Structures are given as structure tokens and as C-alpha cells.
Amino acid sequence: MADIVCPSCGKIVKGQHGLSLHTRRWCPNLNTSLTSLLHEHQEHVKTTLEERQRRLQLEKEQLEEREQRERK
């Protein structure tokens, strides 16, 4: 198992699992730039999904309206 340095505080931990445990529980710098980048990414993904769902709903409504006009 390789030693990995915590990007937040510089502590050396054993392996990826050790780094994961350290950053979740014991790292003194929990709110680092990496954490804020992760939160920004999660917000971006959430916003993108919401926009996509709205666009799909709008397209569906427009298609239904077109079909109704064609029937008349």
C-alpha cells in the first residue's frame, strides 16, 4: 500500500482508503479549496440536470401543442 499525502494538511496516510478516512474524519482542514471545488462541481451538476429536465419538459409540451394543432 502506497503512502499518500493529504492535499489539505500534508499528513502522510496509507493508501487511498486511509486518505478517504482521514479527510472525512480527522483532517483539520476539512473546508479546503478541494472541498469547495467538490461542492461547486456538485452544484453545477445539480443545476445542469435541473435545466435539462426543464428543457425536456418544454420540448414535450411544444410537441404536444404541435400535434394538437395538426389534428385540427
Side-chain angles (χ1 to χ4, degrees), residues 1-9 11-30 34-35 38:
M1 198 176 301
D3 290 344
I4 299 177
V5 176
C6 174
S8 300
C9 69
K11 179 178 168 96
I12 297 173
V13 294
K14 296 284 184 187
Q16 186 64 37
H17 181 70
L19 179 62
S20 178
L21 289 174
H22 168 74
T23 54
R24 272 186 288 159
R25 297 183 183 168
W26 298 293
C27 184
N29 301 331
L30 290 178
L34 293 176
T35 304
L38 175 61

Side-chain angles (χ1 to χ4, degrees), residues 51-69 71:
E51 288 175 4
R52 177 76 176 140
Q53 288 174 341
R54 274 188 249 124
R55 222 178 9 239
L56 287 173
Q57 182 65 30
L58 180 61
E59 289 174 5
K60 179 182 173 186
E61 291 170 1
Q62 289 174 346
L63 180 62
E64 290 173 353
E65 288 175 6
R66 250 186 265 134
E67 289 175 350
Q68 286 178 357
R69 278 186 267 151
R71 287 185 205 147

